[in-house]
Amino acid sequence: MRPEPPDLAVLVDRDCLVTFATLVLASDNAVQDHEMGYHQGGGTTYTTRKGIIRRTGLDPAAAERALHLLDNARLIAGSMANPTAWRTDTSVLALPADSQETPTS
């Protein structure tokens, strides 16, 4: 049984979209290497609620709400080691091959 696909409808909410975009960028090692100016060696990067607030300018309640909605929509994953940190990547947007619609003529 395949896991349910993420609920992309949550991305119409501006706070959710900005938070998701921030997490995608923060989770991408190439972006992190560029920001730091050197190769950091890879690994998995998680961002905390405080990091979301700092990077997006959202107030704490809006950031918490967006993280909650994105988590419920299966667009982000929390850290097992730190329950207040999340990550995602663009692969979460890929649909399973059998669920993609084929164009009709």
Side-chain angles (χ1 to χ4, degrees):
M1 186 171 159
R2 288 182 193 250
E4 283 191 47
D7 179 11
L8 301 178
V10 72
L11 296 178
V12 299
D13 179 274
R14 182 196 177 276
D15 293 346
C16 290
L17 181 62
V18 169
T19 299
F20 180 72
T22 301
L23 285 168
V24 169
L25 291 172
S27 300
D28 187 286
N29 288 328
V31 172
Q32 292 299 314
D33 291 349
H34 175 73
E35 284 182 353
M36 297 302 291
Y38 60 90
H39 180 61
Q40 300 180 77
T44 304
T45 304
Y46 289 88
T47 303
T48 63
R49 182 180 77 112
K50 184 176 179 180
I52 293 296
I53 293 166
R54 183 178 49 80
R55 287 182 156 180
T56 63
L58 293 173
D59 66 66
E64 188 68 38
R65 178 183 157 277
L67 288 165
H68 177 75
L69 291 171
L70 290 166
D71 192 27
N72 284 345
R74 297 170 308 282
L75 285 166
I76 62 175
S79 165
M80 293 253 192
N82 181 354
T84 63
W86 296 268
R87 82 173 316 268
T88 193
D89 59 51
T90 55
S91 68
V92 76
L93 300 176
L95 295 173
D98 62 350
S99 71
Q100 293 181 0
E101 294 183 25
T102 55
T104 56
S105 311

